[in-house]
Amino acid sequence: MTSIEGKMGQPQKTSNLTANTAKVQSSTSSFRRWGRKYPFIRYGLPMISLTVFGAVGLGHLLQGSKDIAKVKDDQEWEIIETRKALSRTGPINAYDPKKISLEEELKALQVKVDINNYDYKRIPKPNEGKSG
């Protein structure tokens, strides 16, 4: 009896399998028919959803870049403010170079270089050094 039940169970499994494949095929064919019947669902809806989601994603990226730029601006502002505070207290102006006039610099240069006593040295032309 068990062998008969086993044999009877197999046709039921194949009939269930064929029924399932028939359901899947009918649903896919109805989906294809649906796409042909309503072209907006096949072409328009994906295009509109791509546009909307793309705009939302782009807005999200732009907001992130704005946040980063704001943080950088805040850091630069803090640096400027600390420099102003330091300049008020003094460390920035601690280095005070002496004032130099052009006449003093000219006198110092004339002491270093004697323009009346020099040696004449000829500068070679660019083509002279090469032997062809």
Side-chain angles (χ1 to χ4, degrees):
M1 279 181 118
T2 55
S3 62
I4 295 171
E5 288 173 2
K7 287 182 183 179
M8 290 179 77
Q10 285 178 351
Q12 281 182 338
K13 284 182 184 178
T14 54
S15 65
N16 285 341
L17 202 107
T18 54
N20 285 340
T21 54
K23 284 180 186 177
V24 169
Q25 286 177 351
S26 67
S27 66
T28 57
S29 65
S30 68
F31 183 72
R32 286 182 189 158
R33 211 175 311 119
W34 202 35
R36 276 189 232 120
K37 193 173 181 182
Y38 306 107
F40 173 77
I41 292 174
R42 187 169 183 177
Y43 300 108
L45 196 62
M47 187 64 179
I48 290 172
S49 62
L50 182 69
T51 305
V52 168
F53 288 130
V56 169
L58 192 61
H60 187 69
L61 288 175
L62 287 174
Q63 185 61 40
S65 67
K66 285 180 185 178
D67 292 343
I68 290 171
K70 185 179 180 205
V71 168
K72 284 184 179 178
D73 287 344
D74 290 344
Q75 289 174 349
E76 288 176 6
W77 184 256
E78 287 175 10
I79 290 170
I80 290 170
E81 288 298 318
T82 53
R83 281 191 180 169
K84 283 182 183 176
L86 285 174
S87 67
R88 278 186 236 122
T89 56
I92 287 180
N93 293 332
Y95 174 70
D96 192 19
K98 59 182 178 177
K99 309 230 175 184
I100 301 171
S101 66
L102 289 176
E103 290 83 18
E104 291 174 7
E105 284 294 316
L106 179 62
K107 287 177 185 175
L109 189 61
Q110 284 176 346
V111 168
K112 288 181 185 175
V113 178
D114 185 17
I115 60 170
N116 296 325
N117 201 5
Y118 63 91
D119 293 329
Y120 177 75
K121 293 183 182 175
R122 187 171 173 272
I123 299 172
K125 293 180 182 175
N127 294 335
E128 268 183 25
K130 297 178 181 175
S131 59

